[in-house]
Amino acid sequence: QVQLVESGGGLVQPGGSLRLSCAASGFAFSGYVMSWHRQTPGKERELVAAIGNPDSTNYADSVKGRFTISKDNAKNMVYLQMKSLKPEDTAVYYCYGTNGVRRYWGQGTQVTVSS
């Protein structure tokens, strides 16, 4: 019923760009704070970017100026535009949504930044 499905991951060279998408369904999208998190094996999952209502945003220091989170309420979609990618951005990226009570995670999409 409730789904968050990420897409857009892949292999990209350092300095390149990639756009991740998250398709949401089964819940009241506009009432949720949406965010992107990432995780590398052996490390804790970390917040990358979040977007509230109507459009307040928050970014990890490591991605400020390079990543942009956005959403399209009409399409129930969340995006993460990543620019000037670095090898340290390599991780599985997860879409997340919460209304303060319910919490939903996507399955993740792999992003690899390498020459």
Side-chain angles (χ1 to χ4, degrees), residues 2-82:
V2 172
Q3 288 191 100
L4 293 175
V5 182
E6 302 98 331
S7 62
L11 175 64
V12 64
Q13 295 185 350
S17 299
L18 206 60
R19 189 191 195 192
L20 305 183
S21 298
C22 173
S25 61
F27 63 95
F29 183 78
S30 63
Y32 281 66
V33 174
M34 305 300 298
S35 59
W36 288 94
H37 301 244
R38 66 186 181 187
Q39 186 168 27
T40 299
K43 300 180 180 179
E44 293 186 351
R45 190 171 298 185
E46 64 174 341
L47 173 70
V48 175
I51 184 165
N53 294 309
D55 59 0
S56 60
T57 58
N58 186 36
Y59 297 92
D61 288 341
S62 60
V63 307
K64 285 182 179 177
R66 299 189 298 120
F67 290 12
T68 302
I69 187 171
S70 62
K71 62 179 180 178
D72 186 334
N73 288 331
K75 297 181 179 180
N76 286 2
M77 296 287 292
V78 185
Y79 307 98
L80 184 67
Q81 180 66 56
M82 305 183 291

Side-chain angles (χ1 to χ4, degrees), residues 90-113:
T90 295
V92 176
Y93 284 71
Y94 297 89
C95 184
Y96 173 76
T98 183
N99 66 353
V101 177
R102 298 181 181 273
R103 301 171 182 268
Y104 303 118
W105 288 98
Q107 82 289 347
T109 185
Q110 177 72 48
V111 172
T112 302
V113 185

